[in-house]
């Protein structure tokens, strides 16, 4: 099992894949030097650690005067240090009990929270039969309007006008039409008359010559 873990770690290093590691809390330092705390005002977050470094010849300590959680360090000689991890947000006022003029404060902010990504999917607007996409105008906190049916949005198809069929004449009209003789064209009568006169003239001329 150990060999398999080493093999996986070696493969990740070979592929230049960084191994996941938990985020380490920050560490801040406050110097106890020249009979003063430096910095006199410090801002950290919950989970951070503050280390007080003692550089004076006289002993110093860290004692809270007003804080959500009281703490007190031992007296520190030159070259010594003391650390405290803040677990609760708030403002911590402290001083040195050996030298009461040495005063400072630490402001602890809440730890940053990462909000999970929203998994609520926004419904896509429905397309109508005409291809238009309705735009939602519902304001936050208002009641959404009732959904419009597709039938109400779809334009009505133009009504097809029925072409009436040619009315057939009644049988009595058809028989009367069949019995009525066709009338002659006057031009045909004139042409026949002219032709008859011409033929008659030719006959007369031929009889005289004989």
């Amino acid at each position: 099992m150990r060999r398999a873990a080493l093999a996986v770690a070696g493969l990740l290093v070979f592929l230049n894949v960084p191994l996941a590691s938990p985020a380490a809390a920050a560490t801040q330092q406050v110097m106890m030097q020249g009979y003063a705390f430096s910095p006199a005002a410090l801002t950290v977050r919950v989970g951070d650690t503050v280390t007080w470094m003692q550089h004076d010849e006289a002993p110093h300590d860290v004692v809270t005067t007003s804080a959500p959680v009281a703490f007190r360090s031992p007296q520190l000689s030159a070259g010594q240090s003391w650390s405290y991890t803040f677990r609760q947000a708030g403002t911590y006022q402290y001083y040195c009990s050996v030298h009461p003029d040495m005063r400072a404060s630490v402001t602890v902010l809440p730890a940053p929270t990462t909000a999970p990504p929203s998994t609520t999917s926004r419904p896509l607007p429905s397309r109508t039969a005409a291809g238009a996409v309705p735009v939602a105008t519902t304001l936050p906190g208002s009641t959404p309007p009732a959904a419009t049916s597709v039938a109400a949005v779809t334009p009505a198809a133009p009504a097809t006008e029925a072409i009436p069929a040619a009315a057939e004449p009644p049988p009595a009209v058809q028989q009367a039409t069949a019995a009525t003789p066709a009338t002659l064209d006057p031009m045909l009568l004139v042409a026949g008359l002219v032709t008859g006169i011409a033929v008659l003239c030719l006959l007369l001329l031929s009889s005289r010559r004989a």
Side-chain angles (χ1 to χ4, degrees):
M1 193 70 181
R2 184 177 179 182
R3 292 181 178 178
L6 292 176
V8 173
L11 182 60
L12 292 177
V13 172
F14 178 75
L15 295 176
N16 198 18
V17 177
L19 295 174
S21 59
T27 301
Q28 305 287 345
Q29 290 185 352
V30 176
M31 300 299 172
M32 306 166 73
Q33 188 174 10
Y35 295 89
F37 294 104
S38 179
L42 182 65
T43 301
V44 298
R45 290 190 177 273
V46 172
D48 291 350
T49 300
V50 176
T51 300
W52 284 265
M53 307 290 297
Q54 221 287 64
H55 296 285
D56 284 339
E57 293 296 332
H60 297 305
D61 61 2
V62 180
V63 181
T64 55
T65 58
S66 174
V69 179
F71 58 80
R72 184 188 185 104
S73 73
Q75 287 191 3
L76 305 176
S77 300
Q80 292 183 334
S81 63
W82 181 75
S83 299
Y84 180 80
T85 301
F86 292 89
R87 303 295 182 185
Q88 186 171 343
T91 301
Y92 294 74
Q93 302 283 347
Y94 65 92
Y95 79 126
C96 173
S97 62
V98 182
H99 306 91
D101 292 338
M102 295 176 57
R103 294 181 176 272
S105 65
V106 176
T107 302
V108 181
L109 303 178
T113 57
T114 304
S118 177
T119 57
T120 305
S121 59
R122 184 177 181 181
L124 296 177
S126 58
R127 292 182 177 273
T128 61
V133 180
V135 179
T137 57
T138 304
L139 297 176
S142 61
T143 305
T148 306
S149 61
V150 177
V153 180
T154 305
T160 305
E161 297 182 358
I163 301 176
E168 295 183 358
V173 177
Q174 293 180 0
Q175 292 178 1
T177 303
T180 303
T183 56
L184 296 178
D185 191 357
M187 295 300 295
L188 294 177
L189 294 177
V190 173
L193 182 60
V194 171
T195 304
I197 294 173
V199 170
L200 181 60
C201 292
L202 290 175
L203 291 176
L204 292 176
L205 289 175
S206 61
S207 61
R208 288 181 180 181
R209 290 178 181 177

